[in-house]
Amino acid sequence: MTQLVLLHAFPLDSQMYTGVARHMSHQLLTPDLPGFGGTAVPNAEPSLDVYADAVADELDRLQVGRVVLGGTSMGGYVTMAFARRHRDRVAGLALIDTKASADTPDAAQGRRAMAAQMLREQTNAPLLDVVAPKLLGETTARDRPEVVEQVRGWVSDAPPASAAFAQQAMAARPDSTDTLRALDVPSLIVVGTEDVLTPPAESQAMAEVLPDGELRQIDGVGHLSPVEAPAEVASVLDDLMGRVDG
């Protein structure tokens, strides 16, 4: 049976998939990207390729070959970087609340400015002020205070240096549309209907270029659908694994 690997969103760590793992019938591997979950910040020029190669190294360490690889938000960006650099290891793809397009110049500059502030002041306050309010859907923010509190706790735990590296890496990422177009493997795109950071239109665009892509929208959730709707995400991931192994 093919191993499913999920990469976490920014600025969280692998804890975000606890609920998904609980509901899945397939085994789930959720490594922490370098700098998160207590791991060291990379000593390298910020790039998503650094994360992608670290994932490949972890799979080597665990003696895992081809995988169904997926990720949420930044984890999706890393998944696409991995597909560019380690294509032969990708048996399937799961892109959750993410997008293939690169940042606009203004968005990239905003990321770099936030990274500079976090490094200069050694604070992750901008994450709580700017990033955290956009992570959850309107319904979750209104009706589920325990989820809001959990996510803000995770965001507040992000080390400033790690978050700064990630922001710089995401600012430098290329457009991945051609990467997806060349990936003829079973693929799943998941998006919350209330996702304001990578809205459903971005997911539709990915589904249209993937040769074997299936789009699933989850009502009433935002940018962190695995946290907001873990059972629903687990179900569609199990369906994807059936397509890969079936």
Side-chain angles (χ1 to χ4, degrees), residues 213-243:
E214 179 181 351
L215 174 62
R216 302 294 289 270
Q217 297 192 38
I218 301 179
D219 291 334
V221 302
H223 192 60
L224 294 180
S225 56
V227 176
E228 298 174 76
E232 291 88 339
V233 172
S235 178
V236 295
L237 287 169
D238 276 330
D239 290 345
L240 172 63
M241 297 304 293
R243 289 167 59 199

PDB file of all heavy atoms in Angstrom, residues 213-243:
ATOM      1  N   GLY A 213      -7.013  15.144 -12.236  1.00  0.00           N
ATOM      2  CA  GLY A 213      -7.342  15.878 -11.035  1.00  0.00           C
ATOM      3  C   GLY A 213      -8.829  15.828 -10.706  1.00  0.00           C
ATOM      4  O   GLY A 213      -9.683  15.864 -11.598  1.00  0.00           O
ATOM      5  N   GLU A 214      -9.124  15.761  -9.421  1.00  0.00           N
ATOM      6  CA  GLU A 214     -10.503  15.796  -8.931  1.00  0.00           C
ATOM      7  C   GLU A 214     -10.617  16.889  -7.886  1.00  0.00           C
ATOM      8  O   GLU A 214      -9.838  16.924  -6.928  1.00  0.00           O
ATOM      9  CB  GLU A 214     -10.886  14.450  -8.314  1.00  0.00           C
ATOM     10  CG  GLU A 214     -12.299  14.411  -7.752  1.00  0.00           C
ATOM     11  CD  GLU A 214     -12.646  13.080  -7.121  1.00  0.00           C
ATOM     12  OE1 GLU A 214     -11.859  12.128  -7.263  1.00  0.00           O
ATOM     13  OE2 GLU A 214     -13.703  13.002  -6.462  1.00  0.00           O
ATOM     14  N   LEU A 215     -11.568  17.779  -8.058  1.00  0.00           N
ATOM     15  CA  LEU A 215     -11.770  18.903  -7.140  1.00  0.00           C
ATOM     16  C   LEU A 215     -12.897  18.590  -6.168  1.00  0.00           C
ATOM     17  O   LEU A 215     -13.979  18.171  -6.569  1.00  0.00           O
ATOM     18  CB  LEU A 215     -12.115  20.169  -7.932  1.00  0.00           C
ATOM     19  CG  LEU A 215     -12.485  21.408  -7.121  1.00  0.00           C
ATOM     20  CD1 LEU A 215     -11.331  21.861  -6.243  1.00  0.00           C
ATOM     21  CD2 LEU A 215     -12.940  22.536  -8.048  1.00  0.00           C
ATOM     22  N   ARG A 216     -12.616  18.797  -4.866  1.00  0.00           N
ATOM     23  CA  ARG A 216     -13.643  18.624  -3.842  1.00  0.00           C
ATOM     24  C   ARG A 216     -13.691  19.879  -2.985  1.00  0.00           C
ATOM     25  O   ARG A 216     -12.681  20.288  -2.397  1.00  0.00           O
ATOM     26  CB  ARG A 216     -13.324  17.401  -2.969  1.00  0.00           C
ATOM     27  CG  ARG A 216     -13.206  16.102  -3.742  1.00  0.00           C
ATOM     28  CD  ARG A 216     -14.516  15.666  -4.358  1.00  0.00           C
ATOM     29  NE  ARG A 216     -15.447  15.211  -3.346  1.00  0.00           N
ATOM     30  CZ  ARG A 216     -15.525  13.945  -2.929  1.00  0.00           C
ATOM     31  NH1 ARG A 216     -14.700  13.012  -3.427  1.00  0.00           N
ATOM     32  NH2 ARG A 216     -16.399  13.604  -2.012  1.00  0.00           N
ATOM     33  N   GLN A 217     -14.853  20.504  -2.919  1.00  0.00           N
ATOM     34  CA  GLN A 217     -15.051  21.684  -2.088  1.00  0.00           C
ATOM     35  C   GLN A 217     -15.774  21.287  -0.800  1.00  0.00           C
ATOM     36  O   GLN A 217     -16.680  20.450  -0.822  1.00  0.00           O
ATOM     37  CB  GLN A 217     -15.870  22.739  -2.834  1.00  0.00           C
ATOM     38  CG  GLN A 217     -15.180  23.271  -4.079  1.00  0.00           C
ATOM     39  CD  GLN A 217     -15.849  24.504  -4.643  1.00  0.00           C
ATOM     40  OE1 GLN A 217     -16.323  25.366  -3.902  1.00  0.00           O
ATOM     41  NE2 GLN A 217     -15.887  24.622  -5.961  1.00  0.00           N
ATOM     42  N   ILE A 218     -15.345  21.894   0.299  1.00  0.00           N
ATOM     43  CA  ILE A 218     -15.942  21.600   1.598  1.00  0.00           C
ATOM     44  C   ILE A 218     -16.633  22.855   2.097  1.00  0.00           C
ATOM     45  O   ILE A 218     -16.001  23.902   2.297  1.00  0.00           O
ATOM     46  CB  ILE A 218     -14.876  21.118   2.599  1.00  0.00           C
ATOM     47  CG1 ILE A 218     -14.190  19.852   2.053  1.00  0.00           C
ATOM     48  CG2 ILE A 218     -15.503  20.841   3.960  1.00  0.00           C
ATOM     49  CD1 ILE A 218     -13.118  19.302   2.950  1.00  0.00           C
ATOM     50  N   ASP A 219     -17.914  22.754   2.296  1.00  0.00           N
ATOM     51  CA  ASP A 219     -18.717  23.914   2.682  1.00  0.00           C
ATOM     52  C   ASP A 219     -18.427  24.355   4.116  1.00  0.00           C
ATOM     53  O   ASP A 219     -18.187  23.539   5.006  1.00  0.00           O
ATOM     54  CB  ASP A 219     -20.207  23.593   2.564  1.00  0.00           C
ATOM     55  CG  ASP A 219     -20.651  23.432   1.124  1.00  0.00           C
ATOM     56  OD1 ASP A 219     -20.012  24.022   0.234  1.00  0.00           O
ATOM     57  OD2 ASP A 219     -21.640  22.704   0.890  1.00  0.00           O
ATOM     58  N   GLY A 220     -18.458  25.672   4.322  1.00  0.00           N
ATOM     59  CA  GLY A 220     -18.422  26.231   5.658  1.00  0.00           C
ATOM     60  C   GLY A 220     -17.075  26.234   6.342  1.00  0.00           C
ATOM     61  O   GLY A 220     -17.013  26.423   7.558  1.00  0.00           O
ATOM     62  N   VAL A 221     -15.993  26.041   5.578  1.00  0.00           N
ATOM     63  CA  VAL A 221     -14.660  26.091   6.174  1.00  0.00           C
ATOM     64  C   VAL A 221     -13.762  26.985   5.337  1.00  0.00           C
ATOM     65  O   VAL A 221     -14.057  27.295   4.181  1.00  0.00           O
ATOM     66  CB  VAL A 221     -14.020  24.687   6.332  1.00  0.00           C
ATOM     67  CG1 VAL A 221     -14.907  23.789   7.177  1.00  0.00           C
ATOM     68  CG2 VAL A 221     -13.762  24.047   4.976  1.00  0.00           C
ATOM     69  N   GLY A 222     -12.641  27.387   5.945  1.00  0.00           N
ATOM     70  CA  GLY A 222     -11.741  28.316   5.293  1.00  0.00           C
ATOM     71  C   GLY A 222     -10.441  27.685   4.842  1.00  0.00           C
ATOM     72  O   GLY A 222     -10.431  26.604   4.246  1.00  0.00           O
ATOM     73  N   HIS A 223      -9.327  28.340   5.179  1.00  0.00           N
ATOM     74  CA  HIS A 223      -8.021  27.979   4.652  1.00  0.00           C
ATOM     75  C   HIS A 223      -7.406  26.757   5.327  1.00  0.00           C
ATOM     76  O   HIS A 223      -6.448  26.202   4.823  1.00  0.00           O
ATOM     77  CB  HIS A 223      -7.084  29.188   4.808  1.00  0.00           C
ATOM     78  CG  HIS A 223      -5.799  29.071   4.062  1.00  0.00           C
ATOM     79  ND1 HIS A 223      -5.730  28.917   2.693  1.00  0.00           N
ATOM     80  CD2 HIS A 223      -4.500  29.087   4.491  1.00  0.00           C
ATOM     81  CE1 HIS A 223      -4.462  28.867   2.312  1.00  0.00           C
ATOM     82  NE2 HIS A 223      -3.698  28.950   3.384  1.00  0.00           N
ATOM     83  N   LEU A 224      -7.958  26.346   6.448  1.00  0.00           N
ATOM     84  CA  LEU A 224      -7.419  25.184   7.161  1.00  0.00           C
ATOM     85  C   LEU A 224      -8.465  24.078   7.224  1.00  0.00           C
ATOM     86  O   LEU A 224      -8.862  23.618   8.296  1.00  0.00           O
ATOM     87  CB  LEU A 224      -6.974  25.581   8.577  1.00  0.00           C
ATOM     88  CG  LEU A 224      -5.803  26.551   8.681  1.00  0.00           C
ATOM     89  CD1 LEU A 224      -5.485  26.839  10.143  1.00  0.00           C
ATOM     90  CD2 LEU A 224      -4.554  26.011   7.963  1.00  0.00           C
ATOM     91  N   SER A 225      -8.903  23.613   6.080  1.00  0.00           N
ATOM     92  CA  SER A 225      -9.954  22.602   6.066  1.00  0.00           C
ATOM     93  C   SER A 225      -9.577  21.326   6.823  1.00  0.00           C
ATOM     94  O   SER A 225     -10.461  20.715   7.436  1.00  0.00           O
ATOM     95  CB  SER A 225     -10.385  22.289   4.632  1.00  0.00           C
ATOM     96  OG  SER A 225      -9.310  21.890   3.828  1.00  0.00           O
ATOM     97  N   PRO A 226      -8.306  20.876   6.866  1.00  0.00           N
ATOM     98  CA  PRO A 226      -8.004  19.696   7.673  1.00  0.00           C
ATOM     99  C   PRO A 226      -8.225  19.904   9.166  1.00  0.00           C
ATOM    100  O   PRO A 226      -8.465  18.939   9.898  1.00  0.00           O
ATOM    101  CB  PRO A 226      -6.518  19.439   7.381  1.00  0.00           C
ATOM    102  CG  PRO A 226      -6.270  20.060   6.058  1.00  0.00           C
ATOM    103  CD  PRO A 226      -7.126  21.293   6.069  1.00  0.00           C
ATOM    104  N   VAL A 227      -8.146  21.153   9.625  1.00  0.00           N
ATOM    105  CA  VAL A 227      -8.401  21.472  11.032  1.00  0.00           C
ATOM    106  C   VAL A 227      -9.885  21.719  11.263  1.00  0.00           C
ATOM    107  O   VAL A 227     -10.463  21.284  12.264  1.00  0.00           O
ATOM    108  CB  VAL A 227      -7.587  22.705  11.462  1.00  0.00           C
ATOM    109  CG1 VAL A 227      -7.900  23.111  12.896  1.00  0.00           C
ATOM    110  CG2 VAL A 227      -6.088  22.441  11.298  1.00  0.00           C
ATOM    111  N   GLU A 228     -10.515  22.401  10.327  1.00  0.00           N
ATOM    112  CA  GLU A 228     -11.918  22.776  10.478  1.00  0.00           C
ATOM    113  C   GLU A 228     -12.872  21.625  10.167  1.00  0.00           C
ATOM    114  O   GLU A 228     -13.961  21.548  10.746  1.00  0.00           O
ATOM    115  CB  GLU A 228     -12.225  23.967   9.573  1.00  0.00           C
ATOM    116  CG  GLU A 228     -11.429  25.222   9.911  1.00  0.00           C
ATOM    117  CD  GLU A 228     -11.648  26.330   8.911  1.00  0.00           C
ATOM    118  OE1 GLU A 228     -12.709  26.974   8.968  1.00  0.00           O
ATOM    119  OE2 GLU A 228     -10.756  26.557   8.058  1.00  0.00           O
ATOM    120  N   ALA A 229     -12.496  20.749   9.248  1.00  0.00           N
ATOM    121  CA  ALA A 229     -13.368  19.641   8.833  1.00  0.00           C
ATOM    122  C   ALA A 229     -12.539  18.372   8.646  1.00  0.00           C
ATOM    123  O   ALA A 229     -12.439  17.830   7.542  1.00  0.00           O
ATOM    124  CB  ALA A 229     -14.097  20.004   7.551  1.00  0.00           C
ATOM    125  N   PRO A 230     -11.915  17.859   9.709  1.00  0.00           N
ATOM    126  CA  PRO A 230     -10.999  16.719   9.559  1.00  0.00           C
ATOM    127  C   PRO A 230     -11.654  15.458   9.021  1.00  0.00           C
ATOM    128  O   PRO A 230     -11.041  14.730   8.228  1.00  0.00           O
ATOM    129  CB  PRO A 230     -10.459  16.515  10.976  1.00  0.00           C
ATOM    130  CG  PRO A 230     -11.442  17.170  11.883  1.00  0.00           C
ATOM    131  CD  PRO A 230     -11.987  18.326  11.108  1.00  0.00           C
ATOM    132  N   ALA A 231     -12.887  15.176   9.416  1.00  0.00           N
ATOM    133  CA  ALA A 231     -13.542  13.962   8.933  1.00  0.00           C
ATOM    134  C   ALA A 231     -13.786  14.024   7.431  1.00  0.00           C
ATOM    135  O   ALA A 231     -13.575  13.038   6.713  1.00  0.00           O
ATOM    136  CB  ALA A 231     -14.856  13.745   9.683  1.00  0.00           C
ATOM    137  N   GLU A 232     -14.228  15.171   6.949  1.00  0.00           N
ATOM    138  CA  GLU A 232     -14.489  15.332   5.514  1.00  0.00           C
ATOM    139  C   GLU A 232     -13.202  15.232   4.708  1.00  0.00           C
ATOM    140  O   GLU A 232     -13.168  14.599   3.649  1.00  0.00           O
ATOM    141  CB  GLU A 232     -15.183  16.665   5.248  1.00  0.00           C
ATOM    142  CG  GLU A 232     -16.606  16.737   5.764  1.00  0.00           C
ATOM    143  CD  GLU A 232     -16.689  17.213   7.213  1.00  0.00           C
ATOM    144  OE1 GLU A 232     -15.678  17.114   7.941  1.00  0.00           O
ATOM    145  OE2 GLU A 232     -17.778  17.683   7.611  1.00  0.00           O
ATOM    146  N   VAL A 233     -12.132  15.860   5.203  1.00  0.00           N
ATOM    147  CA  VAL A 233     -10.846  15.785   4.496  1.00  0.00           C
ATOM    148  C   VAL A 233     -10.316  14.360   4.516  1.00  0.00           C
ATOM    149  O   VAL A 233      -9.805  13.850   3.509  1.00  0.00           O
ATOM    150  CB  VAL A 233      -9.832  16.772   5.114  1.00  0.00           C
ATOM    151  CG1 VAL A 233      -8.443  16.552   4.524  1.00  0.00           C
ATOM    152  CG2 VAL A 233     -10.289  18.210   4.875  1.00  0.00           C
ATOM    153  N   ALA A 234     -10.440  13.677   5.643  1.00  0.00           N
ATOM    154  CA  ALA A 234      -9.994  12.287   5.727  1.00  0.00           C
ATOM    155  C   ALA A 234     -10.733  11.420   4.717  1.00  0.00           C
ATOM    156  O   ALA A 234     -10.132  10.546   4.066  1.00  0.00           O
ATOM    157  CB  ALA A 234     -10.196  11.758   7.141  1.00  0.00           C
ATOM    158  N   SER A 235     -12.019  11.649   4.575  1.00  0.00           N
ATOM    159  CA  SER A 235     -12.816  10.842   3.649  1.00  0.00           C
ATOM    160  C   SER A 235     -12.346  10.986   2.208  1.00  0.00           C
ATOM    161  O   SER A 235     -12.179   9.988   1.483  1.00  0.00           O
ATOM    162  CB  SER A 235     -14.289  11.233   3.761  1.00  0.00           C
ATOM    163  OG  SER A 235     -15.082  10.512   2.841  1.00  0.00           O
ATOM    164  N   VAL A 236     -12.106  12.231   1.772  1.00  0.00           N
ATOM    165  CA  VAL A 236     -11.684  12.417   0.374  1.00  0.00           C
ATOM    166  C   VAL A 236     -10.247  11.945   0.169  1.00  0.00           C
ATOM    167  O   VAL A 236      -9.886  11.494  -0.925  1.00  0.00           O
ATOM    168  CB  VAL A 236     -11.877  13.880  -0.080  1.00  0.00           C
ATOM    169  CG1 VAL A 236     -13.354  14.238  -0.088  1.00  0.00           C
ATOM    170  CG2 VAL A 236     -11.088  14.860   0.759  1.00  0.00           C
ATOM    171  N   LEU A 237      -9.413  12.022   1.214  1.00  0.00           N
ATOM    172  CA  LEU A 237      -8.063  11.475   1.104  1.00  0.00           C
ATOM    173  C   LEU A 237      -8.096   9.951   1.002  1.00  0.00           C
ATOM    174  O   LEU A 237      -7.323   9.352   0.236  1.00  0.00           O
ATOM    175  CB  LEU A 237      -7.210  11.914   2.294  1.00  0.00           C
ATOM    176  CG  LEU A 237      -6.768  13.378   2.299  1.00  0.00           C
ATOM    177  CD1 LEU A 237      -6.163  13.739   3.652  1.00  0.00           C
ATOM    178  CD2 LEU A 237      -5.766  13.665   1.179  1.00  0.00           C
ATOM    179  N   ASP A 238      -8.970   9.311   1.758  1.00  0.00           N
ATOM    180  CA  ASP A 238      -9.131   7.860   1.635  1.00  0.00           C
ATOM    181  C   ASP A 238      -9.579   7.495   0.223  1.00  0.00           C
ATOM    182  O   ASP A 238      -9.119   6.497  -0.356  1.00  0.00           O
ATOM    183  CB  ASP A 238     -10.140   7.337   2.660  1.00  0.00           C
ATOM    184  CG  ASP A 238      -9.517   7.076   4.025  1.00  0.00           C
ATOM    185  OD1 ASP A 238      -8.310   6.736   4.085  1.00  0.00           O
ATOM    186  OD2 ASP A 238     -10.234   7.208   5.041  1.00  0.00           O
ATOM    187  N   ASP A 239     -10.467   8.298  -0.350  1.00  0.00           N
ATOM    188  CA  ASP A 239     -10.901   8.058  -1.739  1.00  0.00           C
ATOM    189  C   ASP A 239      -9.718   8.164  -2.700  1.00  0.00           C
ATOM    190  O   ASP A 239      -9.579   7.345  -3.631  1.00  0.00           O
ATOM    191  CB  ASP A 239     -11.974   9.062  -2.146  1.00  0.00           C
ATOM    192  CG  ASP A 239     -13.296   8.842  -1.434  1.00  0.00           C
ATOM    193  OD1 ASP A 239     -13.486   7.763  -0.836  1.00  0.00           O
ATOM    194  OD2 ASP A 239     -14.136   9.771  -1.479  1.00  0.00           O
ATOM    195  N   LEU A 240      -8.867   9.162  -2.490  1.00  0.00           N
ATOM    196  CA  LEU A 240      -7.682   9.311  -3.345  1.00  0.00           C
ATOM    197  C   LEU A 240      -6.775   8.089  -3.229  1.00  0.00           C
ATOM    198  O   LEU A 240      -6.272   7.590  -4.239  1.00  0.00           O
ATOM    199  CB  LEU A 240      -6.912  10.574  -2.949  1.00  0.00           C
ATOM    200  CG  LEU A 240      -5.545  10.763  -3.615  1.00  0.00           C
ATOM    201  CD1 LEU A 240      -5.679  10.921  -5.129  1.00  0.00           C
ATOM    202  CD2 LEU A 240      -4.797  11.948  -3.017  1.00  0.00           C
ATOM    203  N   MET A 241      -6.556   7.627  -2.002  1.00  0.00           N
ATOM    204  CA  MET A 241      -5.699   6.452  -1.820  1.00  0.00           C
ATOM    205  C   MET A 241      -6.285   5.230  -2.521  1.00  0.00           C
ATOM    206  O   MET A 241      -5.548   4.391  -3.055  1.00  0.00           O
ATOM    207  CB  MET A 241      -5.495   6.174  -0.340  1.00  0.00           C
ATOM    208  CG  MET A 241      -4.764   7.287   0.405  1.00  0.00           C
ATOM    209  SD  MET A 241      -3.165   7.708  -0.314  1.00  0.00           S
ATOM    210  CE  MET A 241      -2.261   6.184   0.027  1.00  0.00           C
ATOM    211  N   GLY A 242      -7.604   5.142  -2.542  1.00  0.00           N
ATOM    212  CA  GLY A 242      -8.242   4.049  -3.288  1.00  0.00           C
ATOM    213  C   GLY A 242      -7.977   4.158  -4.773  1.00  0.00           C
ATOM    214  O   GLY A 242      -7.795   3.133  -5.449  1.00  0.00           O
ATOM    215  N   ARG A 243      -7.965   5.377  -5.304  1.00  0.00           N
ATOM    216  CA  ARG A 243      -7.653   5.562  -6.727  1.00  0.00           C
ATOM    217  C   ARG A 243      -6.218   5.169  -7.023  1.00  0.00           C
ATOM    218  O   ARG A 243      -5.928   4.578  -8.079  1.00  0.00           O
ATOM    219  CB  ARG A 243      -7.871   7.032  -7.120  1.00  0.00           C
ATOM    220  CG  ARG A 243      -9.326   7.459  -7.163  1.00  0.00           C
ATOM    221  CD  ARG A 243      -9.446   8.975  -7.245  1.00  0.00           C
ATOM    222  NE  ARG A 243      -8.777   9.512  -8.432  1.00  0.00           N
ATOM    223  CZ  ARG A 243      -8.414  10.789  -8.558  1.00  0.00           C
ATOM    224  NH1 ARG A 243      -8.632  11.647  -7.544  1.00  0.00           N
ATOM    225  NH2 ARG A 243      -7.832  11.210  -9.660  1.00  0.00           N
TER     226      ARG A 243
END
